[in-house]
Amino acid sequence: MKILVCISNVPDTTTKIKLAEGNSTIDTAGIQWVINPWDELSLTRALELRDDAASGIKSVTVAHVGPASSEPVIRKALAIGADEAIRVNANSPDAYYVAAQLAEVIKKEQFDIILCGIESSDYNGSLVGGMISEFLGIPSASGVSGIKIENGTAVVTRDIDGGKEILEMPVPFVAVVQKGIAKEPKIAAMRGIMLARTKQIKVYEPSAVEPLTNISVLEKPAPRSACRFIDAENPGQLIDLLRNEAKVI
Amino acid sequence: MSVLVYTENWDGKFKKLTLELVSYAAAVAKMTGSSVTALSIGKVDESELRKLGNYGAQKILSADADQLSVFDSQAYAAIISEAAIKQGAKIIVISNNNTGKAVAPRLSVRLKAGVGSGVSKLPLDINPFTVYKRTYSGNVFAHVVIKSDIKILTLAQNSFDPAETPNNAAIEKFDVHSEILPGKTKRRDIQKQSGKILLTDADIVVSGGRGMKSPDNWAPLVELASALGGATACSRPVSDEGWRPNEEHTGQTGKIIAPNVYIAVGISGATQHLAGISSSKYIVAINTDKDAPIFEAAQYGIVGDAMKVLPKLVAAVKELKK
Ligand SMILES: Cc1cc2nc3c(=O)[nH]c(=O)nc-3n(C[C@H](O)[C@H](O)[C@H](O)COP(=O)(O)OP(=O)(O)OC[C@H]3O[C@@H](n4cnc5c(N)ncnc54)[C@H](O)[C@@H]3O)c2cc1C
């Protein structure tokens, strides 16, 4: 079986985002680009499965929709241990466009398990994984916090309100993953970094797809009012303020 | 621009979240001069369905085939899209919860409908149709123009107040064709806790970080949460260490919540933590370090030791509730 991990590149999660060009975009100067945290965890889990001979997973491929300038993030995924990498040579105007491109790649290359993160930390859309499954007409599980292969069957743990569901998924399927899928992201070892340099990134040109949305303006959230400090010796005053001033308890 | 709202149920009952959705849909319909149809999937009795009318639904469709009691995103998306087409709905409103996140992207592809995901306000404009959306984990907000004929809005929980006005809406049965009934996924097991307030539903949340020092110190924090009728949460290292269960983890890589008040105890306020809680209406911080970044996000703060402050807060709440 083959796994595909869809990866997005996002600003490092500690970045203080600044706006640029009349607030139509973010200022990319000095930004460190990283693999979206969820995708990094998906990749980690996919590699754990591949490295377990009993799983029947033979290879892990990563796919990314982005211009050549985003290749360092793909190289990083290869350095961590992905076997193959695909890049669709296009910007990503919206989730629909990205999902449509990835679905085309999946049709050509055929994967059994497709992993996507619950959201990318830039657009926070929670859309791409579900859209891919609908483009392909295949089952999906969202909110996936665990995945294992038992005698050739994919067993997925899905978080639901107040609990968990254990599902047996027929391949091919899309799993949209969240917390729990892997503990710590796998880190690239020196050998992996050397190997990644020589691996080829397969580049596809995009298919013609019309995005359905566009961002017109960005803005910073309104600053919150300053903190009012309450004496640690008299914390009961806090309860009083929450009841009578904020009116929230 | 008729509006269709998908009203999820939990064991046949609606929750505050459902009423928020219907009220939101009614406000959107008002902006566009149209009306709201609510779609319920699964078994819900008539008196419960009627409630939807009181929050602004003019018509209520009920798809209640037995097989639909098990959630299946493919089947649910097929039913919602069929209802949208039949009703001529141009706007579809769904929650941005687990179910909405599974269904909305599928609907988008079926109907070629752009999604405004995780919206927390009414649309900014109708022409062009523009919504206000959280991006960069709450560090930036975007005005997103939805260009497609049909638009899907997924509403963030706790971001819109339900508004009740008595109204008698018509209830109609919605027939589901057998070919769209649940497919090949097999449910092996389901484990559910009942009686606990869900973190995502809670109006009041008390959350502990590494400053709580040890899992053995949680009793006064849990007591404060229960005295306030709220839920408990935690920072990532706390759940990673196994001090608290995974489902309590809030932040960028955990749950994103918007309670009326979030009380952060022994939490430093890292950007990734704030990403999950910055939409809270009030943030309260209790921390020994007066320079901790959490105080920049908080409206109320106590510089002090959690172990000393928490018992006093519990006592003050108990006094108040007497
Ligand atoms: C990709 C990525 C994603 C992440 N996602 C998340 C996420 O989703 N959620 C999240 O929480 N973190 C996340 N993190 C981790 C984040 O960067 C911080 O490390 C984490 O939030 C810190 O947790 P904390 O505040 O509990 O601990 P600390 O930062 O160690 O803070 C402990 C605080 O407790 C205070 N304290 C100590 N003793 C006491 C006492 N007796 N009484 C009161 N206060 C006391 C200290 O002054 C300090 O401010 C992420 C990190 C990365 C890289």
Side-chain angles (χ1 to χ4, degrees):
Chain A
M1 288 200 283
K2 285 166 70 186
I3 300 186
L4 179 73
V5 181
C6 302
I7 60 173
S8 148
N9 70 327
V10 296
D12 176 278
T13 50
T14 53
T15 312
K16 293 263 180 281
I17 304 284
K18 291 194 217 91
L19 304 182
E21 293 170 38
N23 293 349
S24 61
T25 177
I26 65 162
D27 182 358
T28 53
I31 287 186
Q32 277 276 4
W33 296 90
V34 298
I35 304 177
N36 181 43
W38 300 115
D39 307 344
E40 208 179 13
L41 289 171
S42 302
L43 176 61
T44 302
R45 184 61 190 144
L47 296 174
E48 286 167 5
L49 289 171
R50 180 201 62 191
D51 295 342
D52 171 7
S55 75
I57 303 290
K58 295 280 179 278
S59 73
V60 174
T61 304
V62 292
H64 171 68
V65 178
S69 59
S70 56
E71 285 203 354
V73 162
I74 304 176
R75 291 264 171 236
K76 188 173 169 205
L78 288 169
I80 293 171
D83 301 291
E84 288 173 29
I86 296 168
R87 180 172 66 82
V88 179
N89 188 30
N91 286 315
S92 38
D94 78 344
Y96 183 84
Y97 181 92
V98 170
Q101 302 303 338
L102 290 168
E104 286 303 313
V105 166
I106 296 162
K107 277 185 207 155
K108 287 185 196 120
E109 303 257 340
Q110 300 289 323
F111 297 95
D112 301 286
I113 301 176
I114 297 126
L115 300 181
C116 289
I118 185 76
E119 64 170 23
S120 69
S121 63
D122 51 1
Y123 189 70
N124 305 129
S126 291
L127 294 169
V128 171
M131 285 177 168
I132 291 174
S133 59
E134 189 67 27
F135 274 120
L136 298 172
I138 61 175
S140 59
S142 63
V144 170
S145 60
I147 182 165
K148 55 187 178 179
I149 313 287
E150 285 179 10
N151 307 319
T153 303
V155 180
V156 155
T157 306
R158 182 175 116 76
D159 287 6
I160 53 172
D161 287 346
K164 288 182 191 319
E165 230 176 32
I166 318 290
L167 303 171
E168 289 176 18
M169 303 290 299
V171 293
F173 70 93
V174 176
V176 181
V177 311
Q178 62 172 35
K179 167 123 183 154
I181 188 74
K183 203 153 170 64
E184 290 283 330
K186 189 170 177 220
I187 293 168
M190 199 32 112
R191 204 179 97 84
I193 298 171
M194 303 303 285
L195 270 173
R197 289 204 186 128
T198 57
K199 284 184 190 163
Q200 284 283 321
I201 297 174
K202 201 181 212 177
V203 178
Y204 281 108
E205 287 308 316
S207 339
V209 174
E210 199 51 48
L212 302 177
T213 62
N214 71 273
I215 291 181
S216 61
V217 189
L218 295 174
E219 61 186 52
K220 297 291 285 180
R224 283 178 170 264
S225 55
C227 185
R228 171 162 175 187
F229 285 95
I230 292 132
D231 184 5
E233 295 307 316
N234 183 20
Q237 199 197 343
L238 172 68
I239 301 303
D240 184 49
L241 288 167
L242 290 177
R243 154 112 350 156
N244 298 313
E245 189 179 84
K247 300 190 167 47
V248 288
I249 65 170
Chain B
M1 289 227 249
S2 151
V3 180
L4 179 76
V5 55
Y6 166 58
T7 51
E8 184 174 0
N9 71 79
W10 287 262
D11 302 320
K13 296 281 176 246
F14 297 128
K15 324 201 251 209
K16 179 165 161 264
L17 148 71
T18 324
L19 310 177
E20 289 167 8
L21 280 172
V22 180
S23 304
Y24 181 84
V28 173
K30 201 168 164 204
M31 284 177 78
T32 57
S34 65
S35 67
V36 177
T37 302
L39 171 67
S40 165
I41 304 179
K43 293 251 176 274
V44 179
D45 63 33
E46 202 178 303
S47 63
E48 191 71 8
L49 287 171
R50 287 219 177 281
K51 281 190 193 163
L52 303 176
N54 295 339
Y55 291 84
Q58 262 93 351
K59 194 200 290 183
I60 298 155
L61 304 175
S62 171
D64 66 355
D66 280 333
Q67 299 93 317
L68 295 172
S69 54
V70 177
F71 173 72
D72 178 282
S73 62
Q74 253 172 318
Y76 276 43
I79 296 167
I80 300 170
S81 80
E82 192 177 311
I85 293 167
K86 281 202 179 135
Q87 299 298 314
K90 295 295 178 207
I91 300 172
I92 304 173
V93 175
I94 314 182
S95 174
N96 189 40
N97 66 355
N98 284 336
T99 308
K101 284 179 185 174
V103 168
R106 285 190 176 271
L107 266 182
S108 167
V109 171
R110 277 188 169 256
L111 297 169
K112 245 186 173 233
V115 186
S117 56
V119 297
S120 53
K121 283 187 182 185
L122 286 171
L124 300 172
D125 202 346
I126 292 302
N127 194 13
F129 198 90
T130 311
V131 297
Y132 185 75
K133 174 187 182 328
R134 169 182 180 277
T135 59
Y136 295 94
S137 301
N139 286 304
V140 177
F141 283 78
H143 297 197
V144 178
V145 178
I146 306 179
K147 299 184 284 190
S148 49
D149 179 38
I150 301 177
K151 292 125 178 100
I152 299 171
L153 304 180
T154 68
L155 179 68
Q157 232 179 306
N158 288 333
S159 58
F160 198 81
D161 289 330
E164 192 175 0
T165 30
N167 168 44
N168 227 336
I171 300 176
E172 285 175 23
K173 200 168 153 52
F174 188 79
D175 288 320
V176 174
H177 309 296
S178 53
E179 71 270 19
I180 56 180
L181 289 174
K184 294 177 283 178
T185 303
K186 198 174 129 201
R187 181 153 88 181
R188 194 191 268 187
D189 191 14
I190 182 162
Q191 303 150 4
K192 243 179 165 172
Q193 282 184 312
S194 52
K196 219 176 132 190
I197 302 174
L198 290 182
L199 181 51
T200 41
D201 288 344
D203 288 329
I204 298 173
V205 174
V206 187
S207 183
R210 209 145 47 182
M212 291 291 291
K213 300 276 169 44
S214 148
D216 304 331
N217 290 340
W218 243 263
L221 188 150
V222 175
E223 207 183 345
L224 179 62
S226 75
L228 288 167
T232 49
C234 70
S235 68
R236 170 164 152 177
V238 165
S239 71
D240 282 355
E241 288 295 325
W243 293 4
R244 299 294 298 172
N246 272 349
E247 64 264 20
E248 285 197 0
H249 163 190
T250 49
Q252 177 130 37
T253 46
K255 292 212 163 56
I256 295 162
I257 54 172
N260 291 338
V261 58
Y262 181 82
I263 305 179
V265 189
I267 292 176
S268 59
T271 359
Q272 296 98 343
H273 186 79
L274 297 178
I277 61 142
S278 60
S279 301
S280 308
K281 290 181 189 81
Y282 287 88
I283 296 172
V284 177
I286 300 168
N287 198 303
T288 41
D289 175 7
K290 68 171 179 15
D291 297 322
I294 188 76
F295 287 121
E296 284 161 41
Q299 288 70 58
Y300 298 111
I302 296 179
V303 179
D305 183 337
M307 287 304 118
K308 297 203 179 104
V309 173
L310 283 171
K312 289 185 188 163
L313 289 176
V314 172
V317 174
K318 287 193 172 154
E319 187 59 31
L320 185 80
K321 303 252 150 143
K322 257 190 198 155

